[in-house]
């Protein structure tokens, strides 16, 4: 089970709030992205029953370079950033292939 979505012109705090809200209601993986032309944020959360199979930090480490950035975090929650908003949808699509 996976949710990926580009939330448009959303900052990291908003993305994290949405991810936290979904994490409580959704068992699986959530990968969200958003931002402006100059700053892009990625958030990944993984519910506890899936962290043995997939880790949020590894998802972010794999897709953040696609938007010209980097990131990482814990198995259950991770964050990354970059500058290339034009490639955000491509990065989110790549997250799907990692599962």
């Amino acid at each position: 089970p996976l949710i990926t979505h580009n939330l448009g012109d959303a900052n990291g705090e908003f993305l994290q709030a949405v991810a936290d809200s979904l994490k409580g209601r959704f068992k699986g993986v959530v990968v969200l992205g958003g931002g402006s032309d100059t700053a892009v944020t990625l958030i990944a959360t993984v519910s506890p029953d899936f962290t043995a199979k997939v880790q949020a930090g590894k998802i972010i480490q794999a897709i953040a370079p696609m938007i010209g950035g980097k990131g990482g975090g814990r198995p259950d929650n991770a964050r990354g950033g970059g500058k290339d908003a034009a490639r955000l949808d491509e990065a989110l699509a790549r997250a799907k292939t990692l599962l």
Side-chain angles (χ1 to χ4, degrees):
L2 169 69
I3 295 174
T4 62
H5 198 72
N6 179 343
L7 293 176
D9 190 16
N11 66 23
E13 289 72 31
F14 179 78
L15 293 172
Q16 187 67 59
V18 172
D20 288 345
S21 176
L22 288 170
K23 188 166 52 170
R25 301 172 205 192
F26 178 73
K27 291 191 186 310
V29 179
V30 176
V31 182
L32 303 174
S36 63
D37 291 335
T38 57
V40 183
T41 302
L42 294 165
I43 300 282
T45 63
V46 178
S47 58
D49 37 341
F50 285 92
T51 55
K53 297 176 188 164
V54 62
Q55 298 185 340
K58 292 188 177 179
I59 293 170
I60 294 298
Q61 287 173 348
I63 66 174
M66 297 178 72
I67 59 165
K70 60 184 178 178
R74 301 183 313 269
D76 66 330
N77 191 73
R79 186 170 174 165
K83 297 187 183 306
D84 191 354
R87 296 192 64 200
L88 178 56
D89 289 330
E90 183 182 346
L92 292 172
R94 170 90 171 101
K96 293 178 186 180
T97 69
L98 298 173
L99 302 183

